[in-house]
Amino acid sequence: MLARVPARRPPPVHASAASAALALAAIVLSFTFVGCPCISGPVNASPGLRWFLFSNFGASKICPEMLKSGVSLRLQDRSSSIGRFFPMQCSYDVNDEAQTVTVHIAGTGYGYMQPAKRVGFSLTTSVEYRPDFQIAGDDVYVWGRLNRIVQGPSFQLGYVENPVIDVMANVPPFGGLANLLGNQIVAGEMTRGFTVLYNEETGKDFTLGILMPPQRPHHPFEAEDDERYTFANEVIEVQAHQRDYLGPFEVADADQALYLKLSVQGAPVDIMIVDKLTGDAWREAYQTGKPLGPPPGPVQAGGPLQPGIIETRRYALRPGLYYVVIDNTAAAGLVSPPITLLSPLGGSAAQVSYMAQVGE
């Protein structure tokens, strides 16, 4: 059984191991798929029935779910996101005899690491997982345990903001150290597996490692409105002169709105909402090192976010897919990173906690 999504050619890049830590983390964080409505008792008691239901109803959701939006990159549990990986190609194979699913993914992304600063990369890999799930009341716990890495991961480093690190990326000890860090993440992070917690009312939730019912992932905000679907609930770090492109998030109906619960520590930032077409082009320019600038299309909504307060914002948008861009630059929006004696180039990092939801 094979389902394929048409490929999109990534931008030209040159090989390097300096982005290994970011890209390897992306592999683990990029697998999110949902369960199916079933009767819990017989299903939980029968491994064969669970595999039948997953292979026939759940496996086909893997690639569509992966391709919907980017996934955050972290180097440690509960640490702030330092970048994002965007799957662009996906296919999968179901092995009924072994009861495994092999997922083939390719995509691009960006991250921020010292001393390289912003880096852009591409990634391809094939990973075999042994999935399972359990129904616990209104929740479906979906687990992915790593069975083996079939191919790759293959990394290509594109843009590196720090020109010295760009030149030294393939020269020991810089390249070797980054490669070692990447291998440690493969061995340590990927082998932990993942848990997707799915609830029809509140959406899906993801975490590294295996959580058993009734355990739940850690988040900065509590989702209080059961009528809203939660896309993401996390903490990100946006350095000075950098951005993060959240989403895309889907507003499916005309009577729905995008809700953002936000707080920031450190520097004030701009929140800008753009449609997917504009956001794709803007993100591509960002991760390939084009000069920072305003979006190549209209900003649909947004505004500055000041530190020290928690805001809940409602944005009535037309049906479609939208990026929420967190901007800590002087090149777009209304907020400019301040210039100080300790930071002559201007600006400081912003730690943003956010929850993105859709509802009426």
Side-chain angles (χ1 to χ4, degrees):
M1 179 177 179
L2 178 65
R4 297 196 178 275
V5 175
R8 173 181 158 191
R9 185 180 300 275
V13 290
H14 59 276
S16 171
S19 64
L22 293 174
L24 284 169
I27 302 169
V28 189
L29 293 169
S30 61
F31 294 99
T32 58
F33 45 86
V34 300
C36 61
C38 313
I39 301 174
S40 60
V43 171
N44 290 339
S46 173
L49 180 56
R50 291 199 305 275
W51 169 252
F52 172 82
L53 291 169
F54 178 84
S55 61
N56 284 276
F57 299 102
S60 62
K61 299 179 183 292
I62 294 175
C63 285
E65 287 296 317
M66 284 180 57
L67 295 171
K68 277 185 178 179
S69 62
V71 290
S72 55
L73 308 181
R74 291 179 176 81
L75 298 181
Q76 297 179 15
D77 276 351
R78 299 195 180 186
S79 62
S80 301
S81 168
I82 59 168
R84 211 155 292 272
F85 172 68
F86 294 85
M88 299 162 64
Q89 303 170 37
C90 176
S91 64
Y92 71 94
D93 303 292
V94 174
N95 187 328
D96 284 313
E97 183 177 355
Q99 295 191 355
T100 60
V101 175
T102 300
V103 182
H104 316 277
I105 60 170
T108 62
Y110 59 84
Y112 189 95
M113 298 177 66
Q114 290 288 9
K117 298 187 177 180
R118 185 181 356 134
V119 298
F121 64 87
S122 63
L123 160 71
T124 60
T125 191
S126 298
V127 182
E128 185 178 75
Y129 280 95
R130 189 173 297 279
D132 200 358
F133 69 93
Q134 179 178 334
I135 302 171
D138 293 332
D139 299 322
V140 180
Y141 284 75
V142 183
W143 300 297
R145 294 176 171 87
L146 178 69
N147 201 49
R148 64 189 178 106
I149 299 175
V150 178
Q151 184 178 0
S154 175
F155 304 97
Q156 289 184 310
L157 183 66
Y159 171 70
V160 179
E161 185 175 1
N162 187 332
V164 175
I165 300 300
D166 191 15
V167 171
M168 299 296 291
N170 288 313
V171 179
F174 299 100
L177 181 61
N179 189 48
L180 175 62
L181 179 60
N183 288 333
Q184 288 176 341
I185 291 179
V186 168
E189 296 298 297
M190 290 188 62
T191 54
R192 294 175 54 197
F194 61 86
T195 300
V196 178
L197 175 58
Y198 178 75
N199 183 291
E200 187 175 357
E201 295 294 331
T202 60
K204 64 177 181 292
D205 210 346
F206 173 87
T207 187
L208 289 174
I210 304 299
L211 295 184
M212 303 301 294
Q215 293 177 300
R216 309 188 84 82
H218 172 77
H219 292 302
F221 293 123
E222 185 73 24
E224 299 174 350
D225 193 331
D226 292 340
E227 299 300 318
R228 298 177 190 168
Y229 183 95
T230 301
F231 293 113
N233 189 350
E234 62 174 346
V235 181
I236 64 174
E237 187 166 273
V238 185
Q239 299 290 331
H241 315 293
Q242 308 297 328
R243 298 189 178 113
D244 202 357
Y245 293 78
L246 313 179
F249 304 126
E250 183 178 15
V251 177
D253 299 318
D255 59 351
Q256 291 182 333
L258 179 65
Y259 290 84
L260 296 177
K261 189 171 186 177
L262 301 151
S263 70
V264 61
Q265 298 179 15
V269 294
D270 276 297
I271 310 297
M272 288 178 281
I273 299 176
V274 297
D275 62 38
K276 186 177 185 299
L277 183 64
T278 299
D280 283 343
W282 202 15
R283 174 176 63 82
E284 182 77 3
Y286 178 76
Q287 67 190 28
T288 54
K290 301 296 190 299
L292 292 174
V299 175
Q300 304 293 328
L305 177 65
Q306 299 295 332
I309 58 175
I310 298 176
E311 293 188 31
T312 298
R313 302 181 179 184
R314 181 183 185 275
Y315 296 107
L317 303 167
R318 294 180 179 179
L321 292 166
Y322 297 91
Y323 282 93
V324 176
V325 182
I326 311 297
D327 183 274
N328 191 12
T329 79
L334 302 176
V335 176
S336 296
I339 297 176
T340 67
L341 293 177
L342 297 178
S343 181
L345 297 179
S348 59
Q351 188 177 74
V352 180
S353 300
Y354 81 95
M355 179 168 61
Q357 298 177 301
V358 68
E360 296 182 356

